[in-house]
Amino acid sequence: PNPASDPKPTLVVVRCRSSITWIDRPEFTCDDANIVLYNKCGLPVNSSKLGKCLTVHEHNEPGMGTNHASYLQYLVDYYGKFPQTVWFLKATLRGYAHVDARP
């Protein structure tokens, strides 16, 4: 997908060994967002959303151990084609995200 021509937000996700099964959960559809995944450790990416709203870049260069390097690589790769909204995430949100439904 071309992020600049799509009004949906883009999730830039960096992963090494973390599970990315949340991408295939039924409550998250390709109508929600495009996903650009920077796969840092060469593990296979098996997703029904590959080629639809999921684009994978292998980013396992020596010395590229931080997520920040992959986020910067996104800025280089997509310069001039940025969508209106971009979210930079780690592959696992466990321990970082908390949702409280109480008023």
Side-chain angles (χ1 to χ4, degrees):
N2 181 354
S5 64
D6 195 335
K8 295 182 290 192
T10 294
L11 306 179
V12 179
V13 180
V14 179
R15 81 79 84 117
C16 182
R17 293 179 186 88
S18 301
S19 170
I20 53 170
T21 56
W22 60 268
I23 291 174
D24 282 320
R25 292 180 64 149
E27 62 268 21
F28 181 78
T29 70
C30 284
D31 292 334
D32 297 320
N34 292 308
I35 304 166
V36 177
L37 176 69
Y38 283 89
N39 195 33
K40 295 175 56 165
C41 293
L43 295 177
V45 175
N46 299 313
S47 172
S48 61
K49 294 182 173 94
L50 256 175
K52 298 174 188 163
C53 62
L54 173 62
T55 304
V56 177
H57 296 276
E58 295 298 327
H59 194 225
N60 44 5
E61 300 288 326
M64 294 295 178
T66 67
N67 295 328
H68 302 95
S70 296
Y71 299 148
L72 181 59
Q73 189 62 51
Y74 170 83
L75 297 175
V76 171
D77 291 344
Y78 290 88
Y79 185 79
K81 301 180 279 187
F82 297 138
Q84 185 174 354
T85 305
V86 179
W87 296 343
F88 295 90
L89 306 170
K90 294 174 110 176
T92 180
L93 298 178
R94 187 177 355 157
Y96 298 98
H98 174 74
V99 177
D100 189 348
R102 293 176 289 174

